[in-house]
Amino acid sequence: MQATSVFLAEPSNAKLLTGEKKRIGNSFVMFLIALIFILAAVVAGYFLYTRYSQHQALLTEGKQTRGIVTDGFEETSRNFYVIESKRYRIEYRYTIAGQTYTGGQDIDGALYEELFLQSPVTIVFLPSNPGVSELGGEFADDTEYRNALLILGSLTLVALLAAAGFLFRDVRNRRLSSQGQILNGTLLSAAGQYYRRTLNVTFRYEFRSPLGTTITGSRTVKRNDLKKAPVPVSGTPIKVLYVNDKLHRIL
């Protein structure tokens, strides 16, 4: 069967059928994207470690002084337009050895209600770096610290998982390219869905393995070229790249 007589879910795979291309995917692109996520994880991890180290240093080495509240605000936001959350923040000023420093901190709503402009507060600072500070004493509040650890920790984890995902996809692509054999198959269905003006089409397919087992699979592909073209019908001939019953892909 010629390449032109079958439907290709990913037209870029046409050269596989003619022998002009030896593999699917692009290892360089996959590695580059994974590297970007790894760098993002390193940056987020650095800020996570820095924030943790500063907080611990303030707890163990910090000195107390008095300061005053210079500003504050309450902010309401909605996540996913449903979940409402509030943020409470104050700004403060304090003086060490004749040098004036400023700082700011997100705090709990209950503490926020107790503070006003010019309210005196206890400040904990690092003697080696007086510009590093947070509320202390009876005003100690770890709201911002906990939120920072949660956000930075989540960013680090998500970036690492994303990097691992792209590297795993590249490993699969390499294996499909080096070990896969091209088999005949049949399209079961093609269903499109728009997302941000992009047409994503999910192709369900069926084929028989070399051992005679009937196997089904699916793959979703961006196909903006099908916006004004007829969607392939059930029964349309397709080609499948097959390694084993668990690893296969419609071409």
Side-chain angles (χ1 to χ4, degrees), residues 62-156:
K63 302 296 182 182
Q64 290 189 356
T65 188
R66 298 295 283 180
I68 60 171
V69 176
T70 58
D71 199 2
F73 66 84
E74 174 184 337
E75 182 180 69
T76 302
S77 61
R78 289 181 179 273
N79 297 322
F80 308 107
Y81 304 99
V82 177
I83 304 173
E84 182 178 286
S85 61
K86 289 191 175 182
R87 177 191 179 196
Y88 305 92
R89 185 172 182 83
I90 65 163
E91 306 290 332
Y92 54 79
R93 181 175 67 241
Y94 59 102
T95 302
I96 305 296
Q99 177 71 42
T100 299
Y101 298 90
T102 60
Q105 185 174 331
D106 289 356
I107 59 176
D108 180 73
L111 177 59
Y112 181 83
E113 296 297 330
E114 298 177 6
L115 299 175
F116 304 92
L117 291 178
Q118 304 302 311
S119 292
V121 289
T122 300
I123 306 297
V124 178
F125 68 95
L126 288 180
S128 59
N129 187 359
V132 176
S133 66
E134 63 184 31
L135 295 175
E138 68 275 32
F139 301 98
D141 188 290
D142 64 354
T143 299
E144 181 171 288
Y145 174 67
R146 288 186 287 104
N147 288 343
L149 293 191
L150 177 62
I151 293 172
L152 292 172
S154 297
L155 287 175
T156 302

XYZ file of all heavy atoms in Angstrom, residues 62-156:
751
model
N 18.545 35.421 64.641
C 17.929 36.736 64.563
C 17.910 37.507 65.870
O 17.852 36.942 66.955
N 17.992 38.841 65.746
C 17.881 39.761 66.877
C 16.608 40.572 66.732
O 16.172 40.865 65.614
C 19.087 40.701 66.922
C 20.439 39.988 67.022
C 20.577 39.220 68.327
C 21.950 38.566 68.437
N 22.096 37.778 69.685
N 16.029 40.937 67.862
C 14.772 41.670 67.829
C 14.990 43.176 67.939
O 15.925 43.635 68.591
C 13.851 41.215 68.963
C 13.295 39.820 68.791
C 12.215 39.497 69.815
O 11.930 40.302 70.706
N 11.604 38.322 69.683
N 14.107 43.917 67.280
C 14.067 45.356 67.402
C 12.616 45.792 67.230
O 11.752 44.965 66.952
C 14.971 46.037 66.349
O 15.041 47.445 66.628
C 14.429 45.844 64.945
N 12.354 47.076 67.399
C 10.997 47.580 67.228
C 10.891 48.338 65.924
O 11.833 48.996 65.471
C 10.600 48.499 68.385
C 10.596 47.809 69.738
C 9.550 46.731 69.831
N 8.204 47.281 70.016
C 7.112 46.548 70.126
N 7.186 45.209 70.035
N 5.926 47.109 70.302
N 9.731 48.209 65.295
C 9.467 48.931 64.068
C 8.035 49.416 64.063
O 7.290 49.214 65.043
N 7.627 50.049 62.985
C 6.255 50.529 62.878
C 5.672 50.132 61.526
O 6.400 49.982 60.536
C 6.153 52.060 63.043
C 6.987 52.770 61.963
C 6.569 52.481 64.434
C 6.756 54.274 61.945
N 4.362 49.942 61.503
C 3.658 49.617 60.260
C 3.526 50.883 59.429
O 3.066 51.912 59.921
C 2.265 49.022 60.550
C 1.510 48.787 59.238
C 2.384 47.731 61.347
N 3.949 50.830 58.182
C 3.880 52.008 57.311
C 2.805 51.896 56.237
O 2.408 52.895 55.642
C 5.230 52.235 56.617
O 5.586 51.068 55.858
C 6.320 52.519 57.647
N 2.322 50.696 55.976
C 1.300 50.521 54.948
C 0.715 49.126 55.079
O 1.271 48.251 55.761
C 1.894 50.718 53.554
C 0.827 50.996 52.500
O -0.362 51.080 52.866
O 1.194 51.117 51.313
N -0.399 48.911 54.414
C -1.031 47.595 54.429
C -2.175 47.553 53.442
O -2.741 48.591 53.095
N -2.483 46.358 52.978
C -3.616 46.240 52.065
C -4.205 44.836 52.139
O -3.548 43.884 52.561
C -3.222 46.572 50.624
C -2.260 45.600 50.005
C -2.703 44.418 49.408
C -0.897 45.867 50.008
C -1.820 43.527 48.840
C 0.003 44.979 49.432
C -0.463 43.807 48.852
N -5.458 44.771 51.731
C -6.179 43.501 51.652
C -6.563 43.284 50.206
O -7.097 44.185 49.554
C -7.430 43.566 52.538
C -8.335 42.365 52.423
C -9.607 42.536 53.260
O -9.593 43.320 54.223
O -10.615 41.884 52.924
N -6.286 42.083 49.684
C -6.529 41.789 48.279
C -7.346 40.518 48.146
O -7.029 39.499 48.756
C -5.181 41.639 47.560
C -5.291 41.387 46.069
C -3.916 41.248 45.434
O -3.234 40.231 45.712
O -3.519 42.152 44.688
N -8.398 40.589 47.327
C -9.249 39.433 47.078
C -9.059 38.959 45.649
O -9.068 39.761 44.719
C -10.727 39.769 47.307
O -10.915 40.235 48.647
C -11.607 38.545 47.076
N -8.872 37.669 45.475
C -8.701 37.106 44.136
C -9.559 35.853 44.007
O -9.958 35.252 44.998
C -7.230 36.773 43.868
O -6.754 35.818 44.801
N -9.807 35.482 42.763
C -10.591 34.271 42.491
C -9.780 33.332 41.607
O -9.294 33.735 40.554
C -11.914 34.609 41.802
C -12.918 35.293 42.706
C -14.219 35.569 41.961
N -15.201 36.212 42.813
C -16.040 35.556 43.592
N -16.025 34.233 43.600
N -16.910 36.205 44.346
N -9.638 32.092 42.034
C -8.971 31.079 41.238
C -10.022 30.293 40.464
O -10.991 29.823 41.036
C -8.171 30.123 42.129
C -7.071 30.857 42.869
O -6.456 31.752 42.321
N -6.834 30.484 44.119
N -9.791 30.184 39.157
C -10.730 29.487 38.276
C -12.127 30.119 38.341
O -13.123 29.482 38.068
C -10.820 27.998 38.628
C -9.486 27.306 38.692
C -8.940 26.932 39.909
C -8.775 27.059 37.531
C -7.700 26.300 39.964
C -7.538 26.436 37.578
C -7.006 26.053 38.793
N -12.158 31.411 38.724
C -13.394 32.185 38.789
C -14.400 31.622 39.792
O -15.566 31.999 39.796
C -14.059 32.268 37.398
C -13.149 32.834 36.355
C -12.457 32.005 35.481
C -12.949 34.207 36.253
C -11.590 32.532 34.520
C -12.095 34.739 35.292
C -11.427 33.898 34.438
O -10.580 34.421 33.502
N -13.956 30.728 40.655
C -14.871 30.112 41.617
C -14.333 30.237 43.043
O -15.027 30.688 43.951
C -15.108 28.614 41.279
C -15.995 27.976 42.344
C -15.712 28.458 39.897
N -13.098 29.807 43.248
C -12.522 29.779 44.582
C -11.978 31.158 44.939
O -11.084 31.673 44.291
C -11.394 28.732 44.668
C -11.919 27.355 44.263
C -10.822 28.688 46.082
C -10.852 26.301 44.167
N -12.534 31.741 45.984
C -12.119 33.078 46.403
C -11.087 32.977 47.516
O -11.218 32.182 48.441
C -13.329 33.867 46.889
C -13.015 35.300 47.294
C -14.253 36.063 47.714
O -15.046 36.428 46.817
O -14.424 36.268 48.933
N -10.033 33.771 47.395
C -8.999 33.796 48.430
C -8.633 35.239 48.732
O -8.771 36.122 47.882
C -7.752 33.025 47.979
O -7.189 33.616 46.822
N -8.167 35.467 49.966
C -7.787 36.814 50.386
C -6.335 36.841 50.819
O -5.827 35.887 51.392
C -8.681 37.290 51.525
C -10.103 37.608 51.101
C -10.873 38.329 52.189
C -12.254 38.734 51.696
N -13.009 39.487 52.721
N -5.708 37.945 50.506
C -4.321 38.160 50.870
C -4.238 39.408 51.735
O -4.845 40.435 51.422
C -3.477 38.337 49.608
C -2.006 38.634 49.872
C -1.316 39.056 48.593
N 0.084 39.364 48.802
C 0.839 40.039 47.945
N 0.305 40.492 46.826
N 2.115 40.276 48.216
N -3.490 39.305 52.823
C -3.301 40.430 53.736
C -1.804 40.719 53.828
O -1.012 39.825 54.124
C -3.846 40.111 55.123
C -5.295 39.685 55.125
C -5.635 38.336 55.026
C -6.315 40.625 55.210
C -6.959 37.936 55.022
C -7.650 40.231 55.210
C -7.968 38.883 55.111
O -9.276 38.490 55.110
N -1.436 41.967 53.590
C -0.015 42.319 53.592
C 0.217 43.645 54.305
O -0.603 44.563 54.204
C 0.521 42.421 52.157
C 2.037 42.673 52.109
C 2.575 42.572 50.706
N 4.018 42.762 50.671
C 4.897 41.802 50.910
N 4.476 40.575 51.179
N 6.197 42.039 50.864
N 1.315 43.710 55.021
C 1.720 44.963 55.660
C 3.147 45.302 55.244
O 3.936 44.426 54.878
C 1.649 44.889 57.197
C 2.666 43.878 57.730
C 0.246 44.603 57.675
C 2.948 44.027 59.217
N 3.457 46.581 55.276
C 4.819 47.071 55.090
C 5.255 47.700 56.407
O 4.442 48.293 57.130
C 4.873 48.114 53.972
C 4.278 47.662 52.642
C 5.115 46.611 51.956
O 6.344 46.599 52.181
O 4.536 45.785 51.210
N 6.529 47.571 56.727
C 7.016 48.125 57.996
C 8.389 48.774 57.814
O 9.074 48.568 56.807
C 7.074 47.037 59.070
C 7.873 45.802 58.692
C 9.265 45.786 58.756
C 7.216 44.635 58.273
C 9.991 44.659 58.411
C 7.939 43.498 57.919
C 9.327 43.511 57.992
O 10.048 42.406 57.656
N 8.766 49.549 58.838
C 10.045 50.235 58.827
C 10.714 50.067 60.175
O 10.050 50.065 61.220
C 9.837 51.721 58.521
C 11.126 52.544 58.466
C 10.864 53.984 58.051
N 10.106 54.715 59.070
C 8.916 55.260 58.875
N 8.319 55.136 57.704
N 8.302 55.916 59.847
N 12.024 49.915 60.185
C 12.764 49.788 61.436
C 14.169 50.368 61.233
O 14.631 50.544 60.100
C 12.845 48.321 61.878
C 13.504 47.391 60.882
C 14.816 46.955 61.050
C 12.796 46.924 59.765
C 15.415 46.101 60.140
C 13.388 46.072 58.852
C 14.693 45.665 59.039
O 15.290 44.829 58.136
N 14.837 50.668 62.334
C 16.149 51.312 62.280
C 17.170 50.502 63.076
O 16.914 50.117 64.214
C 16.083 52.746 62.839
O 15.127 53.501 62.092
C 17.448 53.421 62.742
N 18.310 50.220 62.434
C 19.413 49.511 63.075
C 20.686 50.342 62.920
O 21.076 50.656 61.796
C 19.632 48.111 62.441
C 18.339 47.281 62.474
C 20.774 47.364 63.132
C 17.849 46.958 63.863
N 21.307 50.681 64.056
C 22.565 51.456 64.055
C 22.453 52.709 63.196
O 23.364 53.047 62.433
C 23.714 50.575 63.574
N 21.343 53.397 63.308
C 21.136 54.637 62.581
C 20.722 54.473 61.135
O 20.435 55.465 60.456
N 20.654 53.233 60.636
C 20.262 52.964 59.254
C 18.822 52.468 59.225
O 18.456 51.544 59.955
C 21.185 51.907 58.641
C 20.840 51.500 57.224
C 21.134 52.583 56.204
O 22.176 53.238 56.284
N 20.222 52.801 55.281
N 18.002 53.106 58.404
C 16.591 52.735 58.301
C 16.385 51.678 57.222
O 16.909 51.796 56.114
C 15.727 53.961 57.979
O 15.865 54.923 59.038
C 14.264 53.582 57.859
N 15.622 50.656 57.588
C 15.314 49.567 56.662
C 13.798 49.429 56.537
O 13.049 49.813 57.445
C 15.899 48.239 57.158
C 17.401 48.234 57.274
C 18.021 48.624 58.466
C 18.201 47.845 56.207
C 19.409 48.616 58.580
C 19.579 47.829 56.317
C 20.184 48.218 57.505
O 21.549 48.211 57.614
N 13.378 48.885 55.413
C 11.956 48.613 55.212
C 11.778 47.140 54.864
O 12.695 46.475 54.367
C 11.366 49.478 54.083
O 12.067 49.200 52.865
C 11.477 50.961 54.421
N 10.596 46.640 55.123
C 10.277 45.257 54.799
C 8.790 45.100 54.594
O 8.009 46.015 54.869
N 8.387 43.957 54.124
C 6.978 43.671 53.921
C 6.713 42.197 54.097
O 7.612 41.373 53.925
N 5.483 41.870 54.454
C 5.181 40.471 54.742
C 3.692 40.211 54.622
O 2.866 41.003 55.083
C 5.661 40.149 56.165
C 5.518 38.704 56.581
C 6.146 38.464 57.948
O 7.100 39.134 58.349
N 5.604 37.498 58.678
N 3.337 39.085 53.981
C 1.948 38.626 53.996
C 1.670 38.004 55.357
O 2.506 37.263 55.888
C 1.720 37.582 52.909
C 1.738 38.182 51.521
O 1.843 39.415 51.399
O 1.666 37.410 50.533
N 0.510 38.313 55.906
C 0.185 37.824 57.244
C -1.228 37.257 57.271
O -2.004 37.394 56.323
C 0.314 38.946 58.307
C -0.628 40.110 57.963
C 1.752 39.423 58.403
C -0.642 41.218 59.021
N -1.553 36.631 58.386
C -2.880 36.068 58.596
C -3.907 37.188 58.773
O -3.593 38.268 59.291
C -2.859 35.165 59.831
C -4.211 34.535 60.103
O -4.590 33.621 59.359
O -4.875 34.979 61.060
N -5.151 36.911 58.381
C -6.193 37.934 58.470
C -6.450 38.409 59.887
O -6.726 39.593 60.116
N -6.363 37.511 60.860
C -6.611 37.902 62.253
C -5.579 38.908 62.730
O -5.917 39.900 63.402
C -6.606 36.660 63.146
N -4.301 38.675 62.403
C -3.251 39.617 62.797
C -3.403 40.925 62.050
O -3.183 42.007 62.619
C -1.874 39.008 62.514
C -0.665 39.891 62.809
C -0.641 40.313 64.282
C 0.636 39.166 62.440
N -3.807 40.847 60.791
C -3.989 42.065 59.991
C -5.022 42.995 60.627
O -4.856 44.225 60.623
C -4.423 41.676 58.581
C -4.621 42.840 57.635
C -3.541 43.412 56.974
C -5.895 43.362 57.401
C -3.721 44.472 56.107
C -6.086 44.423 56.529
C -4.988 44.974 55.892
O -5.170 46.033 55.042
N -6.088 42.412 61.177
C -7.136 43.221 61.803
C -6.658 43.925 63.066
O -7.239 44.923 63.493
C -8.350 42.345 62.124
C -9.046 41.761 60.901
C -9.629 42.829 59.986
O -10.006 43.909 60.507
O -9.672 42.604 58.760
N -5.583 43.424 63.657
C -5.066 44.026 64.888
C -4.094 45.170 64.634
O -3.766 45.932 65.559
C -4.355 42.965 65.734
C -5.261 41.827 66.203
C -4.483 40.769 66.968
O -3.274 40.993 67.213
O -5.078 39.738 67.312
N -3.617 45.297 63.398
C -2.589 46.282 63.097
C -3.158 47.459 62.315
O -4.072 47.297 61.491
C -1.462 45.621 62.297
C -0.726 44.473 63.003
C 0.287 43.836 62.059
C -0.044 44.966 64.275
N -2.587 48.624 62.554
C -2.990 49.848 61.880
C -1.734 50.608 61.467
O -0.618 50.235 61.846
C -3.858 50.711 62.807
C -5.065 49.998 63.343
C -4.999 49.328 64.559
C -6.255 49.996 62.631
C -6.108 48.666 65.060
C -7.373 49.334 63.130
C -7.307 48.663 64.339
N -1.896 51.662 60.698
C -0.759 52.501 60.359
C -0.119 53.051 61.626
O -0.827 53.489 62.547
C -1.197 53.653 59.447
C -1.623 53.289 58.019
C -2.064 54.525 57.255
C -0.486 52.582 57.281
N 1.183 53.011 61.675
C 1.991 53.474 62.810
C 1.927 52.535 64.014
O 2.467 52.862 65.076
C 1.588 54.893 63.232
C 1.670 55.938 62.121
C 3.070 56.051 61.526
O 4.042 56.165 62.265
N 3.158 56.008 60.201
N 1.278 51.358 63.850
C 1.277 50.397 64.953
C 2.702 49.900 65.201
O 3.428 49.567 64.261
C 0.383 49.199 64.622
O -0.972 49.557 64.581
N 3.129 49.835 66.464
C 4.455 49.286 66.762
C 4.445 47.765 66.614
O 3.482 47.104 66.998
C 4.685 49.711 68.213
C 3.318 49.844 68.791
C 2.428 50.324 67.675
N 5.488 47.230 66.030
C 5.609 45.784 65.847
C 7.035 45.346 66.186
O 7.966 46.152 66.174
C 5.284 45.354 64.392
C 3.802 45.481 64.097
C 6.116 46.149 63.398
N 7.165 44.069 66.520
C 8.486 43.497 66.777
C 9.047 42.935 65.476
O 8.368 42.202 64.760
C 8.392 42.381 67.826
O 7.868 42.929 69.041
C 9.774 41.786 68.103
N 10.284 43.284 65.195
C 10.959 42.846 63.977
C 12.155 41.985 64.366
O 12.909 42.311 65.280
C 11.450 44.040 63.136
C 10.303 45.009 62.837
C 12.115 43.556 61.850
C 9.197 44.422 62.004
N 12.323 40.861 63.662
C 13.509 40.029 63.813
C 14.374 40.221 62.569
O 13.874 40.120 61.448
C 13.143 38.542 63.978
C 14.409 37.693 64.080
C 12.269 38.338 65.193
N 15.664 40.530 62.776
C 16.570 40.771 61.653
C 17.862 39.992 61.844
O 18.182 39.533 62.953
C 16.876 42.263 61.522
C 17.692 42.809 62.663
C 19.086 42.897 62.573
C 17.087 43.221 63.848
C 19.840 43.384 63.628
C 17.841 43.703 64.911
C 19.219 43.792 64.800
N 18.605 39.832 60.754
C 19.890 39.158 60.821
C 20.990 40.179 61.121
O 21.152 41.144 60.366
C 20.205 38.460 59.489
C 19.405 37.202 59.152
C 19.859 36.649 57.798
C 19.581 36.147 60.228
N 21.757 40.001 62.170
C 22.847 40.940 62.482
C 23.851 41.079 61.340
O 24.381 42.158 61.098
C 23.500 40.308 63.715
C 22.411 39.500 64.336
C 21.624 38.959 63.192
N 24.087 39.979 60.613
C 25.035 40.021 59.501
C 24.458 40.681 58.259
O 25.196 41.097 57.365
C 25.469 38.595 59.156
O 24.343 37.799 58.790
N 23.128 40.784 58.190
C 22.456 41.405 57.050
C 21.137 41.985 57.536
O 20.076 41.373 57.380
C 22.213 40.372 55.947
C 21.672 41.000 54.663
O 21.458 42.209 54.586
N 21.441 40.173 53.656
N 21.173 43.176 58.142
C 19.967 43.749 58.765
C 18.791 43.959 57.825
O 17.658 44.120 58.272
C 20.476 45.100 59.303
C 21.944 44.920 59.446
C 22.349 44.018 58.323
N 19.055 43.948 56.523
C 17.956 44.119 55.574
C 17.074 42.897 55.449
O 15.971 42.975 54.908
N 17.525 41.739 55.965
C 16.724 40.514 55.969
C 15.952 40.466 57.268
O 16.545 40.417 58.352
C 17.617 39.263 55.830
C 16.764 38.008 55.937
C 18.373 39.301 54.514
N 14.633 40.472 57.187
C 13.822 40.576 58.400
C 12.451 39.959 58.202
O 12.045 39.654 57.078
C 13.664 42.049 58.795
O 12.910 42.738 57.798
N 11.750 39.793 59.320
C 10.353 39.380 59.317
C 9.765 39.725 60.669
O 10.494 40.077 61.614
C 10.209 37.888 59.029
C 10.836 36.984 60.051
C 10.741 35.509 59.675
O 10.741 35.174 58.478
O 10.673 34.680 60.618
N 8.446 39.660 60.755
C 7.793 39.935 62.029
C 8.195 38.876 63.049
O 8.340 37.697 62.719
C 6.279 39.945 61.857
C 5.694 41.051 60.966
C 4.190 40.844 60.805
C 5.992 42.426 61.539
N 8.356 39.303 64.302
C 8.764 38.373 65.347
C 8.026 38.634 66.642
O 7.090 39.441 66.702
N 8.463 37.920 67.680
C 7.836 38.091 68.987
C 6.373 37.741 68.943
O 5.963 36.746 68.339
N 5.552 38.584 69.569
C 4.112 38.348 69.602
C 3.451 38.556 68.241
O 2.267 38.229 68.058
C 3.452 39.255 70.650
C 3.468 40.745 70.332
C 4.741 41.458 70.758
O 5.829 40.841 70.745
O 4.633 42.645 71.124
N 4.202 39.115 67.287
C 3.659 39.366 65.943
C 4.148 38.333 64.918
O 3.884 38.465 63.724
C 4.052 40.768 65.465
C 3.569 41.874 66.357
C 4.423 42.442 67.298
C 2.266 42.330 66.280
C 3.987 43.458 68.127
C 1.815 43.347 67.111
C 2.673 43.914 68.046
N 4.867 37.338 65.391
C 5.406 36.323 64.475
C 4.278 35.664 63.686
O 3.238 35.299 64.235
C 6.197 35.270 65.255
N 4.484 35.526 62.384
C 3.457 34.957 61.497
C 4.172 34.268 60.341
O 5.006 34.879 59.670
C 2.548 36.075 60.974
C 1.357 35.548 60.202
O 1.562 35.025 59.087
O 0.228 35.657 60.700
N 3.849 33.006 60.111
C 4.542 32.251 59.060
C 3.697 32.062 57.804
O 3.977 31.185 56.986
C 4.992 30.892 59.591
C 3.817 29.994 59.984
O 2.657 30.464 59.960
O 4.066 28.821 60.328
N 2.667 32.906 57.626
C 1.805 32.786 56.449
C 2.603 32.899 55.160
O 2.492 32.061 54.257
C 0.703 33.861 56.472
O -0.116 33.678 57.637
C -0.160 33.777 55.223
N 3.408 33.948 55.041
C 4.179 34.144 53.815
C 5.208 33.046 53.623
O 5.419 32.563 52.500
C 4.875 35.511 53.840
C 5.685 35.807 52.582
C 6.190 37.227 52.530
O 5.355 38.128 52.322
O 7.409 37.436 52.700
N 5.842 32.622 54.716
C 6.854 31.570 54.640
C 6.236 30.267 54.131
O 6.782 29.620 53.232
C 7.472 31.377 56.018
C 8.433 30.221 56.116
C 9.642 30.239 55.435
C 8.123 29.106 56.890
C 10.529 29.175 55.527
C 9.009 28.036 56.992
C 10.208 28.082 56.304
O 11.082 27.022 56.397
N 5.103 29.876 54.696
C 4.449 28.639 54.268
C 3.993 28.725 52.815
O 4.146 27.774 52.041
C 3.256 28.334 55.172
C 3.645 27.867 56.557
C 2.446 27.432 57.372
N 1.643 28.572 57.814
C 0.500 28.930 57.274
N -0.017 28.233 56.271
N -0.172 29.977 57.739
N 3.447 29.892 52.427
C 3.008 30.059 51.045
C 4.187 30.002 50.079
O 4.086 29.429 48.982
C 2.280 31.394 50.884
C 0.907 31.389 51.536
O 0.366 30.331 51.840
N 0.363 32.563 51.784
N 5.318 30.612 50.481
C 6.501 30.606 49.623
C 7.014 29.187 49.424
O 7.357 28.780 48.307
C 7.599 31.482 50.229
N 7.063 28.405 50.525
C 7.519 27.021 50.403
C 6.575 26.211 49.527
O 7.016 25.386 48.711
C 7.626 26.372 51.781
C 8.708 26.906 52.730
C 8.832 25.975 53.934
C 10.052 27.043 52.036
N 5.275 26.438 49.685
C 4.295 25.692 48.895
C 4.415 26.029 47.413
O 4.460 25.129 46.563
C 2.886 26.010 49.394
C 1.737 25.348 48.618
C 1.834 23.834 48.718
C 0.388 25.833 49.152
N 4.484 27.319 47.095
C 4.536 27.739 45.698
C 5.855 27.319 45.045
O 5.874 26.720 43.967
C 4.355 29.269 45.590
C 2.930 29.653 46.012
C 4.628 29.745 44.166
C 2.707 31.143 46.120
N 6.972 27.632 45.708
C 8.272 27.306 45.127
C 8.495 25.798 45.066
O 9.070 25.288 44.101
C 9.387 27.969 45.942
C 9.431 29.499 45.865
C 10.442 30.061 46.858
C 9.780 29.950 44.449
N 8.036 25.091 46.101
C 8.153 23.635 46.079
C 7.338 23.025 44.958
O 7.792 22.097 44.271
N 6.123 23.556 44.754
C 5.268 23.051 43.681
C 5.879 23.333 42.311
O 5.864 22.474 41.421
C 3.879 23.688 43.774
O 3.241 23.338 44.989
N 6.425 24.557 42.141
C 7.056 24.904 40.865
C 8.244 23.989 40.577
O 8.434 23.538 39.443
C 7.505 26.368 40.884
C 6.399 27.423 40.793
C 6.994 28.821 40.955
C 5.651 27.318 39.478
N 9.030 23.729 41.602
C 10.192 22.845 41.426
C 9.750 21.453 41.010
O 10.294 20.862 40.067
C 11.010 22.762 42.731
O 11.425 24.078 43.126
C 12.234 21.879 42.549
